[in-house]
Amino acid sequence: MRNVFDFLFLLRAISATTPPTPIKMRSLQSNRAKFSTLNQIFSHVSFDLPDPPTISQSGLDLTITELSCQDLVVEDISLDHKFVSDTSQLLDIDISGLQVSCDFRWEYRWTIFNGRGDGKATLDRASSAGITLDFHSADYDILPPKHVTIPNDKCTSNIQIDNLDFDGDGLGIIAGIINLFENLIKRVVEGELGKLVCEELADLGDDELDNILAMISDEIEVYLQPLPDDFSNPLYQETNILNDISDEKGALVNFQEIETLAGEWIQKALEQLDSLLGSGTSSNNGQNDLGINELIRSSLLDDQGEFSIDPSLISGFFSDENSNNIIFEGHDKLTETTMSLVSIRVQGLDTFKELDLLNVVGNYTVRNLLKMERLTFFIELEATMMASSLSSSFIDASNAKPITEVFTIAFTANDIEIDFTILLALNEMTLGTIQLGSMLHTTNILPCLFSAIDKASFTGLALTVTDLVPPTMTGFLDRGIDQIMSSGATALFNMYEKALIRAMPNFFQLFVRDVINDYIDGVVSLLGKCPDTKPPMSGFVDFRDLFLDPDDALASGGSGDAPYGNVIPWIMDIIDDQLFSADESGQLSVNELMVRPLTKSQSGIEGSLHFNGTLIDLNKRQVTRKIWTSFADNLRLRLSDLHLSGLDSMRVPTEILSPKSSSAHTLENKISIGVTENVSITDNSDSLRASFGFELLVGGENSPLAMNNLMDLELIVPSLDILAMLRATVEVDRLMKFPLKDITNVDCWISTLWSSKNSGIESDAGVAIEYLNMVLDDGMMVNASCISCTNQMLNQFNSVLSFLEDQEWISNIRSRAILIGSQLARGEWVQGMIAKQIDSSSRRCPHLNFENSMPLAQKYQKFETTREMVDGVLYGGMTLVQVIAIVMAQKHTGVDLPPPVDIVVSGADKTELIDLTDLGSILSWGDMVLDEARTYLGGVVESKRGEQVLGITNLLQSLILDDDGLLKIPIIDKGFIAGGVELSLYNVTLVGLDSFAKFEVLKTSGPQAFGNIIRLDKLGVTLRMGLSVEDPNTEQLRRLNTNKLETITVSLIFKDVEIDTSVMLALDRELMRSMKLGSILSIDNISSCLFSTIHAIGIQKLVMTLGNIDEFSIAGFVSAATQQEIDDFTAAVFTNYKPMIIESLPAFTATVVRPLLNNVLQYFMEKAKREGGACREPDESLTGIVDFRDLFLSQSKSVALLGSGLPKYGDLFRVLHSFIDDVISATNDLGQSNINDLIISKLTDNQSNSTGALFFPGKLFGQEFDIALNGLNA
């Protein structure tokens, strides 16, 4: 650091224009006040001058001895710097207003007279002196000064004695003679004093100053030379040194392969760090600023924007034992001086304008680039000066006290660029075996990290400065000294500025870099041993001691002994102070310091995140099951382009990982986002907003459901509050012994959570959610807009959303979803999955021995549903069906009904089709049966109850309807049991089948077409189920301790229903004739056999109209509150949308239902024609005579009558026999079988015009019959 002292010494030499001498203060004018304090110092100092030679003139010899001066006064000292040329700069030093009082002994000899005595001389204040110093450089543009001269050895002095007084023995006349020679004596004394002044001034330009300049020049010129390769190449050490280190000590951490070693998260973390520190944010003054500047302001700088450096860190470079921060000590003939550092302050640390960190340039080397606008250093120094105590000193200040002066040097550098590379050779094995417990103490961090360093050094350090501002010095006791020191410093700065700027990069590369590297080597050598982790501690981590300061931990119930070190509490304190402190509006600092920079780096907008592309894509590109192609060929549900905004509105109260005083293992977490008051959402930019693209694609050329709707959905939440209580048992031993090599291994972190009953807590899982709640502001809104919609009515979907908001449907769904999510998170099923994950992770963690990991649990809790979950699902299902109905109704309202479609008959010219208008050509009685059936079913008859009803109603009442006119269809499928839910399907009841008002069916409109018109006063369906939930928390199970099924009924009832349809059916005559009876004796084969004879089938027209929707309801199981919410929602839908739904139904059935049914019919027709799907041949293994027991009777009845019981002949006759048996067994009030009225009376009346009688005219016998039924001989 020699060159630093050279500068200080040169500055001191220039400013020390005269030797300090003592004087007594006198009354001075105002201009003398510039140096009043300096003159006060001089008042305590005296100095002795050498004895001048004897003066002889006109026979008078006068000798002056013991010349001593004091009471020195200086009115002004000025420095004037001048540029002469590229090689010369002048410095004029002028001293004015010199006053001094001198005492002396005199002795004379004149002829025969002699005498001696004392004298006193006083200088006039007009006395002055000056000198010019010429500093020479070969070229000031590139080189510093190297030589100084005094032009013409010129020193000007104007010393004037104001008064001379003599006093002594034997003066008498002789004294008068001496007074006569006063002018002569004045000139002599003035000359001596002037000579002294000039000699002292001339010393400023003597050889010593030349030597100093030469030394400084030589030092600077070293840094103006080209750098050697080992300094200019930042990879030199990596290439030429590290191979030996790695061979000797083992593998080093290769930064080029860091992702392979630790995963991509490190690179991502570095990118986020670079983005956080280097991205721009809006500062308080509205200017765009880097994140690092905001971070430095909030964490390092004081209110004046300054950073203070401990002076001992600098003074330590000057002395190993330096308790007083001394940086300079000097002792010469004049003074003894000590200079020490008082303070160092830096301004401008928050002026970074570019930041590029941790760029890997080699296997073990990283490069960093910093650019700053300015740096200003304020160095406060304390100088203590006293008179020299050397034996050769000519100053006498035995009565003077030491003078202490505190002054400040300020200098500024503008447009700074620091480019530095660091070689860091980290021993991979040593670093990896460091245990986390050792790193949890701040005193251990550096030793532990240094222990893994095989080599660390700066391999490149370049600093360039565009502009240096001349330094200023302030704070001296006199403003005159301030002026002198500043002027001198400015003069020196002007002489050295350009050379220093040129030398600075190499100065840092050579000198500063070596100093830093020497310091690093010393620190690594001194601290490079990582303390061992304390002996293993049993039990589980007490979060109060882990996260809190000892005092707070003790107050909260912890031990307060900091058993896990002080690093984590220190980090938590920083997080709390820097990130979670709030402003006056309650907004947290984390918004400014982290959220806004991070979000802006990701999306370009502060507080927003934008995830382009697909988030969720449920895409069924090709439907494989052919039956489903009737509805769609491909399906796609896609969520994309997620936008989140308002994320920078985190506010109080927010707490993260806050220990609870009541529990050692519980952490409380609160997150609050959004506004704190109810304000208009449209005017509030702090609301949390989420928007995403929602695409629903149903593909298929022939699908009536085909659509491609792309919508933008937006959710606006004015405020969101999340509260979560986590309970976790982290094993102390596993945490403290956690090796750094597995720091990125998620399994190892999970394995610290001990999921054993030894934990002493209720749950076996190592982590559990004790409480979870989410509170959303009631002002939450949902908006939707079409980006590209084939359903144009979706452009009006916001009106539906407004309706849903008015009915509180969105808030109800939200609250139920939150409740279900909370129950799931706290349920044993989730805890079981957590426990299973911990078990598995313990086995996958590399540093854990398999034998020491806990045994895998034999059984984990299955998913169990709660009553609230099922209640919420039922609410969502019942209401969502109605929302879908509204959307479909919007699409089909006002749509014109399409004309009947033509069904193309393929191959009609090659086949003979059955003519539906002439069934008699096939069966002689076919047309008769059809006409009679139509007449009866559509005509009015008297029912057994005496009511006038249609024949179809009477038939259904007689055959299948109960006394209430309902058709109850039992469901064989008993439902399912899963997740603690048991669902049993009891029956489906068709309502209104006794209310036919019109029944015109099978009215042929062509050879292959017939129409149907059906009208009912009421038509509906009721689904009756049994439902139970294994929920030990419900009052029902606590009371009954049983899982008894509760009945739940869902009903949909229409009024005034009319169905108008026409069907085209092309049946092949020959295929029908050739069909074998045995092929259709099994009910499963009937459809395929019939479809195999069809050339074409389709619904040409289907229109359904309603007069009213009478009921849509659910009853049973759901809570009273849910029942009321469903009822209220249905009532609102009926009030607002029922007319639209009823109006849209004809178009919906004509344009959607009809094509869907046609597609399904087409599927079955094609299936029947494919191989394996056609009508199957009868079983050829059947021989002999038919066993009627197996033909007609059920298995049990057949076996009872000694039959085989096997369905050898199919099940058709068994079903018909059972049906007929039921009909015959039913009797009327007279005990007669109902078959008389249903069949016999009608057939006999039709044949003979007499009920119950048959008439066969003509010959009864003699005609031959040949009946051949394939498969059966009878």
Side-chain angles (χ1 to χ4, degrees):
M1 300 295 291
R2 166 97 185 171
N3 52 332
V4 177
F5 292 114
D6 294 340
F7 279 112
L8 294 175
F9 182 80
L10 180 59
L11 181 60
R12 181 176 179 272
I14 293 176
S15 61
T17 55
T18 60
T21 53
I23 76 165
K24 183 183 292 183
M25 292 297 296
R26 291 188 265 175
S27 175
L28 300 174
Q29 297 179 0
S30 61
N31 63 326
R32 303 183 190 180
K34 290 174 60 177
F35 294 95
S36 59
T37 306
L38 177 64
N39 291 329
Q40 180 65 39
I41 296 172
F42 288 161
S43 69
H44 299 285
V45 179
S46 64
F47 59 91
D48 300 325
L49 276 69
D51 292 340
T54 299
I55 304 172
S56 298
Q57 187 172 350
S58 302
L60 178 64
D61 297 327
L62 181 64
T63 303
I64 294 177
T65 61
E66 300 179 20
L67 180 60
S68 176
C69 298
Q70 61 278 329
D71 295 340
L72 175 64
V73 175
V74 176
E75 288 191 16
D76 196 12
I77 304 173
S78 65
L79 302 179
D80 185 20
H81 175 251
K82 299 176 181 177
F83 289 92
V84 178
S85 66
D86 291 340
T87 60
S88 175
Q89 295 186 31
L90 299 181
L91 182 65
D92 294 331
I93 305 172
D94 293 309
I95 306 172
S96 61
L98 276 173
Q99 297 181 75
V100 69
S101 176
C102 298
D103 297 321
F104 53 87
R105 290 287 296 172
W106 57 267
E107 183 177 352
Y108 78 93
R109 188 175 297 279
W110 184 55
T111 64
I112 62 173
F113 300 99
N114 62 74
R116 63 184 56 84
D118 296 324
K120 191 175 188 65
T122 303
L123 288 186
D124 189 277
R125 58 179 295 188
S127 299
S128 63
I131 193 171
T132 298
L133 301 178
D134 188 353
F135 291 84
H136 300 275
S137 169
D139 185 348
Y140 271 110
D141 285 337
I142 58 176
L143 296 173
K146 202 168 187 177
H147 175 58
V148 62
T149 61
I150 301 174
N152 302 319
D153 294 327
K154 181 179 180 181
C155 173
T156 60
S157 64
N158 179 23
I159 305 298
Q160 301 179 23
I161 295 178
D162 179 47
N163 186 33
L164 273 176
D165 292 323
F166 295 94
D167 187 17
D169 57 328
L171 287 175
I173 297 176
I174 300 305
I177 295 173
I178 294 177
N179 287 333
L180 293 175
F181 292 99
E182 180 177 356
N183 290 334
L184 176 62
I185 296 174
K186 283 183 179 180
R187 288 194 298 272
V188 173
V189 175
E190 288 172 354
E192 289 300 319
L193 290 175
K195 180 181 178 182
L196 175 63
V197 171
C198 281
E199 286 178 352
E200 292 301 323
L201 290 175
D203 285 345
L204 296 176
D206 64 5
D207 292 340
E208 182 177 357
L209 182 56
D210 274 351
N211 293 335
I212 293 174
L213 292 176
M215 179 185 65
I216 296 175
S217 177
D218 291 342
E219 290 287 341
I220 292 177
E221 287 182 5
V222 170
Y223 304 115
L224 297 176
Q225 306 302 317
L227 289 174
D229 185 62
D230 55 337
F231 282 89
S232 62
N233 181 6
L235 297 180
Y236 179 85
Q237 291 193 34
E238 178 176 311
T239 305
N240 296 277
I241 297 175
L242 285 191
N243 288 335
D244 296 336
I245 295 178
S246 60
D247 291 342
E248 178 182 351
K249 298 185 178 181
L252 304 176
V253 175
N254 189 334
F255 299 139
Q256 303 274 19
E257 301 173 354
I258 195 71
E259 291 187 12
T260 303
L261 295 174
E264 295 184 0
W265 76 269
I266 288 187
Q267 182 63 30
K268 296 291 185 183
L270 293 178
E271 291 175 357
Q272 289 298 325
L273 176 64
D274 199 16
S275 174
L276 172 64
L277 299 179
S279 62
T281 61
S282 296
S283 60
N284 294 332
N285 58 11
Q287 300 295 321
N288 196 43
D289 206 356
L290 296 187
I292 188 175
N293 294 330
E294 290 294 329
L295 181 62
I296 290 174
R297 286 190 198 104
S298 61
S299 58
L300 296 180
L301 306 186
D302 58 21
D303 294 338
Q304 286 71 42
E306 296 179 347
F307 174 72
S308 297
I309 300 175
D310 185 353
S312 63
L313 297 177
I314 305 300
S315 61
F317 286 104
F318 299 89
S319 174
D320 294 335
E321 298 180 0
N322 194 348
S323 59
N324 296 319
N325 298 326
I326 295 174
I327 62 172
F328 175 77
E329 291 180 297
H331 199 177
D332 54 26
K333 293 181 180 181
L334 293 175
T335 61
E336 182 178 355
T337 303
T338 301
M339 191 174 295
S340 59
L341 282 170
V342 177
S343 68
I344 302 174
R345 307 188 317 276
V346 184
Q347 277 187 353
L349 289 174
D350 57 345
T351 63
F352 283 95
K353 57 184 181 180
E354 187 174 331
L355 202 66
D356 191 8
L357 301 176
L358 302 176
N359 295 291
V360 177
V361 294
N363 292 338
Y364 318 106
T365 307
V366 293
R367 182 184 179 186
N368 309 270
L369 179 65
L370 311 175
K371 291 184 180 180
M372 307 180 71
E373 292 181 6
R374 69 182 183 283
L375 275 180
T376 301
F377 294 88
F378 299 94
I379 303 174
E380 189 178 14
L381 300 169
E382 180 181 271
T384 301
M385 295 173 288
M386 62 182 66
S388 173
S389 60
L390 297 177
S391 58
S392 57
S393 172
F394 56 80
I395 288 180
D396 180 12
S398 57
N399 296 326
K401 296 180 179 179
I403 302 301
T404 299
E405 186 160 359
V406 178
F407 60 95
T408 301
I409 302 174
F411 60 92
T412 299
N414 292 322
D415 291 331
I416 306 165
E417 181 177 307
I418 306 172
D419 188 348
F420 63 97
T421 55
I422 302 175
L423 178 139
L424 191 60
L426 293 172
N427 190 289
E428 188 175 321
M429 179 177 295
T430 305
L431 180 65
T433 55
I434 294 175
Q435 295 180 344
L436 182 62
S438 299
M439 300 287 288
L440 295 182
H441 299 266
T442 52
T443 54
N444 295 348
I445 293 177
L446 288 180
C448 289
L449 292 179
F450 288 164
S451 68
I453 296 177
D454 291 342
K455 177 69 176 178
S457 64
F458 277 69
T459 60
L461 178 59
L463 184 142
T464 57
V465 175
T466 303
D467 178 49
L468 288 174
V469 178
T472 60
M473 298 186 182
T474 58
F476 291 96
L477 298 179
D478 286 326
R479 60 187 176 89
I481 297 179
D482 277 349
Q483 179 180 326
I484 293 172
M485 298 299 289
S486 295
S487 298
T490 301
L492 280 176
F493 178 81
N494 290 332
M495 295 179 192
Y496 284 90
E497 178 186 15
K498 293 182 179 180
L500 286 177
I501 290 177
R502 290 185 63 241
M504 193 174 294
N506 285 0
F507 173 75
F508 275 82
Q509 283 281 27
L510 298 172
F511 177 77
V512 177
R513 195 173 107 186
D514 278 349
V515 171
I516 294 176
N517 287 338
D518 289 343
Y519 177 78
I520 292 175
D521 289 342
V523 171
V524 172
S525 176
L526 179 65
L527 302 178
K529 179 174 174 55
C530 183
D532 294 331
T533 304
K534 292 181 180 180
M537 292 176 284
S538 60
F540 302 98
V541 172
D542 188 328
F543 292 128
R544 298 167 295 191
D545 287 323
L546 181 67
F547 291 116
L548 301 178
D549 294 327
D551 292 341
D552 295 335
L554 183 62
S556 299
S559 69
D561 296 332
Y564 317 116
N566 61 347
V567 170
I568 295 181
W570 173 66
I571 293 175
M572 296 301 293
D573 286 342
I574 292 177
I575 292 175
D576 288 339
D577 294 341
Q578 302 301 324
L579 298 183
F580 295 125
S581 59
D583 59 18
E584 295 179 356
S585 65
Q587 295 290 308
L588 300 181
S589 301
V590 68
N591 296 323
E592 186 68 29
L593 296 178
M594 290 188 65
V595 178
R596 287 171 187 155
L598 288 174
T599 52
K600 185 174 183 179
S601 67
Q602 194 272 346
S603 66
I605 302 174
E606 292 183 353
S608 298
L609 291 176
H610 183 197
F611 300 96
N612 285 319
T614 299
L615 303 174
I616 299 175
D617 192 356
L618 304 177
N619 189 3
K620 187 68 173 178
R621 291 181 174 85
Q622 185 62 46
V623 177
T624 55
R625 294 195 63 182
K626 200 67 177 179
I627 180 63
W628 296 115
T629 60
S630 303
F631 299 88
D633 291 336
N634 58 290
L635 301 170
R636 188 176 194 181
L637 175 64
R638 188 167 72 102
L639 303 182
S640 61
D641 295 336
L642 176 64
H643 292 257
L644 298 174
S645 61
L647 298 175
D648 57 343
S649 60
M650 293 185 65
R651 54 175 173 80
V652 292
T654 292
E655 295 181 2
I656 303 296
L657 301 179
S658 176
K660 287 197 66 178
S661 58
S662 60
S663 173
H665 311 299
T666 301
L667 295 171
E668 184 174 355
N669 301 271
K670 299 177 183 177
I671 299 177
S672 301
I673 304 177
V675 298
T676 56
E677 300 178 356
N678 290 326
V679 297
S680 173
I681 291 180
T682 56
D683 298 332
N684 176 34
S685 60
D686 289 336
S687 295
L688 184 64
R689 297 168 183 255
S691 65
F692 56 89
F694 174 82
E695 181 181 8
L696 178 61
L697 171 65
V698 179
E701 295 181 0
N702 300 320
S703 173
L705 299 177
M707 66 180 73
N708 189 0
N709 298 316
L710 177 59
M711 303 182 67
D712 183 53
L713 301 181
E714 181 184 32
L715 177 67
I716 305 174
V717 182
S719 70
L720 171 65
D721 295 273
I722 302 173
L723 176 61
M725 305 288 289
L726 301 178
R727 183 181 68 248
T729 50
V730 178
E731 190 185 4
V732 173
D733 188 58
R734 289 193 177 186
L735 178 67
M736 302 301 284
K737 291 184 176 181
F738 199 109
L740 294 189
K741 66 180 179 180
D742 292 331
I743 199 74
T744 61
N745 191 310
V746 177
D747 284 323
C748 292
W749 283 109
I750 294 176
S751 68
T752 63
L753 298 166
W754 184 257
S755 64
S756 169
K757 291 185 178 179
N758 296 330
S759 64
I761 60 177
E762 295 179 2
S763 174
D764 291 343
V767 61
I769 300 177
E770 287 188 335
Y771 179 79
L772 176 65
N773 191 22
M774 183 184 300
V775 180
L776 287 85
D777 190 275
D778 290 337
M780 185 181 74
M781 291 179 58
V782 180
N783 293 324
S785 60
C786 267
I787 300 175
S788 173
C789 296
T790 54
N791 181 1
Q792 296 301 316
M793 296 305 297
L794 289 177
N795 288 308
Q796 303 176 16
F797 192 64
N798 276 330
S799 63
V800 178
L801 292 176
S802 298
F803 166 77
L804 296 178
E805 289 174 357
D806 293 340
Q807 306 309 314
E808 299 183 350
W809 183 80
I810 295 176
S811 62
N812 287 337
I813 292 293
R814 177 194 68 199
S815 60
R816 292 175 185 275
I818 293 173
L819 176 62
I820 292 174
S822 177
Q823 290 179 341
L824 283 175
R826 293 184 287 112
E828 293 186 2
W829 178 60
V830 172
Q831 302 309 311
M833 289 194 299
I834 293 174
K836 183 177 181 180
Q837 180 61 52
I838 296 173
D839 288 346
S840 302
S841 294
S842 296
R843 286 164 170 73
R844 291 193 296 265
C845 180
H847 69 262
L848 292 179
N849 294 326
F850 181 83
E851 295 80 8
N852 295 332
S853 63
M854 58 190 168
L856 269 172
Q858 296 298 318
K859 182 178 180 181
Y860 293 99
Q861 185 68 35
K862 295 181 179 179
F863 175 74
E864 296 292 343
T865 307
T866 65
R867 189 178 184 92
E868 288 83 359
M869 291 182 192
V870 177
D871 192 80
V873 170
L874 291 174
Y875 172 82
M878 289 294 294
T879 54
L880 187 59
V881 166
Q882 299 178 67
V883 173
I884 295 173
I886 293 172
V887 174
M888 297 302 294
Q890 283 183 327
K891 180 179 180 180
H892 294 90
T893 299
V895 176
D896 294 333
L897 295 179
V901 297
D902 293 329
I903 306 298
V904 178
V905 180
S906 60
D909 55 337
K910 298 180 180 179
T911 59
E912 183 179 357
L913 302 179
I914 295 177
D915 187 346
L916 299 179
T917 63
D918 184 18
L919 293 179
S921 61
I922 302 176
L923 296 173
S924 59
W925 42 267
D927 289 327
M928 177 197 70
V929 172
L930 184 60
D931 289 340
E932 290 297 330
R934 281 199 298 260
T935 302
Y936 173 78
L937 295 176
V940 178
V941 299
E942 183 177 347
S943 69
K944 63 181 181 180
R945 303 176 185 176
E947 301 171 343
Q948 296 296 311
V949 297
L950 295 186
I952 182 64
T953 303
N954 185 49
L955 180 62
L956 294 177
Q957 287 177 339
S958 303
L959 292 178
I960 56 178
L961 301 183
D962 61 16
D963 293 340
D964 297 322
L966 304 177
L967 174 59
K968 294 182 180 179
I969 305 173
I971 300 178
I972 299 175
D973 185 358
K974 295 300 182 181
F976 66 90
I977 299 176
V981 177
E982 181 178 354
L983 176 65
S984 180
L985 304 179
Y986 292 158
N987 56 61
V988 174
T989 300
L990 297 181
V991 180
L993 295 181
D994 60 346
S995 67
F996 283 96
K998 187 175 185 178
F999 194 79
E1000 297 180 359
V1001 298
L1002 301 177
K1003 296 181 63 176
T1004 56
S1005 56
Q1008 282 82 43
F1010 60 89
N1012 310 273
I1013 298 177
I1014 302 172
R1015 187 183 302 127
L1016 300 96
D1017 295 333
K1018 180 170 66 174
L1019 180 64
V1021 61
T1022 297
L1023 176 62
R1024 187 168 173 269
M1025 301 171 286
L1027 183 63
S1028 71
V1029 180
E1030 287 186 23
D1031 188 352
N1033 297 319
T1034 61
E1035 288 293 335
Q1036 175 199 17
L1037 290 186
R1038 280 198 295 266
R1039 186 169 59 249
L1040 301 177
N1041 192 26
T1042 180
N1043 289 339
K1044 182 179 179 181
L1045 294 175
E1046 298 179 61
T1047 300
I1048 181 170
T1049 304
V1050 180
S1051 300
L1052 175 62
I1053 308 296
F1054 297 140
K1055 283 290 187 69
D1056 298 329
V1057 181
E1058 180 173 297
I1059 302 173
D1060 185 358
T1061 180
S1062 60
V1063 179
M1064 185 274 181
L1065 179 62
L1067 293 169
D1068 189 295
R1069 182 192 300 269
E1070 292 303 320
L1071 291 177
M1072 284 290 292
R1073 285 178 174 175
S1074 62
M1075 185 185 302
K1076 299 176 182 179
L1077 180 60
S1079 298
I1080 60 174
L1081 290 184
S1082 293
I1083 295 177
D1084 291 341
N1085 298 339
I1086 293 176
S1087 61
S1088 59
C1089 289
L1090 291 178
F1091 274 104
S1092 68
T1093 66
I1094 297 174
H1095 287 278
I1097 185 172
I1099 302 174
Q1100 297 174 307
K1101 174 185 177 183
L1102 176 62
V1103 178
M1104 179 178 177
T1105 60
L1106 296 180
N1108 192 18
I1109 303 175
D1110 192 51
E1111 179 184 352
F1112 180 62
S1113 65
I1114 185 172
F1117 187 87
V1118 296
S1119 65
T1122 299
Q1123 181 72 65
Q1124 188 62 51
E1125 289 174 355
I1126 294 174
D1127 291 344
D1128 292 344
F1129 185 85
T1130 302
V1133 171
F1134 279 14
T1135 301
N1136 291 273
Y1137 292 101
K1138 183 195 288 186
M1140 182 182 67
I1141 295 174
I1142 293 174
E1143 180 187 351
S1144 68
L1145 190 59
F1148 177 74
T1149 54
T1151 60
V1152 176
V1153 178
R1154 183 198 59 76
L1156 282 178
L1157 293 177
N1158 280 341
N1159 289 341
V1160 173
L1161 293 173
Q1162 187 68 24
Y1163 161 75
F1164 282 112
M1165 187 179 70
E1166 292 177 356
K1167 179 182 178 182
K1169 295 182 181 299
R1170 291 195 302 268
E1171 182 180 355
C1175 186
R1176 286 181 291 186
E1177 293 291 325
D1179 186 0
E1180 296 180 356
S1181 64
L1182 294 176
T1183 58
I1185 303 173
V1186 171
D1187 188 330
F1188 293 116
R1189 296 168 298 185
D1190 292 332
L1191 178 66
F1192 292 112
L1193 301 181
S1194 64
Q1195 179 180 0
S1196 58
K1197 292 182 179 180
S1198 173
V1199 172
L1201 295 179
L1202 303 180
S1204 69
L1206 299 176
K1208 297 184 292 184
Y1209 314 112
D1211 54 0
L1212 176 61
F1213 280 111
R1214 287 185 173 186
V1215 173
L1216 292 176
H1217 182 275
S1218 177
F1219 175 74
I1220 294 173
D1221 189 50
D1222 291 339
V1223 172
I1224 294 175
S1225 62
T1227 60
N1228 57 21
D1229 295 338
L1230 300 177
Q1232 296 176 333
S1233 174
N1234 285 336
I1235 197 172
N1236 295 322
D1237 295 328
L1238 292 176
I1239 300 175
I1240 296 177
S1241 61
K1242 294 179 175 58
L1243 289 178
T1244 54
D1245 184 67
N1246 183 68
Q1247 197 272 343
S1248 63
N1249 293 322
S1250 176
T1251 302
L1254 293 175
F1255 177 60
F1256 299 98
K1259 184 179 178 180
L1260 295 180
F1261 298 101
Q1263 186 176 354
E1264 295 181 358
F1265 295 91
D1266 185 7
I1267 300 176
L1269 298 178
N1270 288 332
L1272 286 177
N1273 295 319

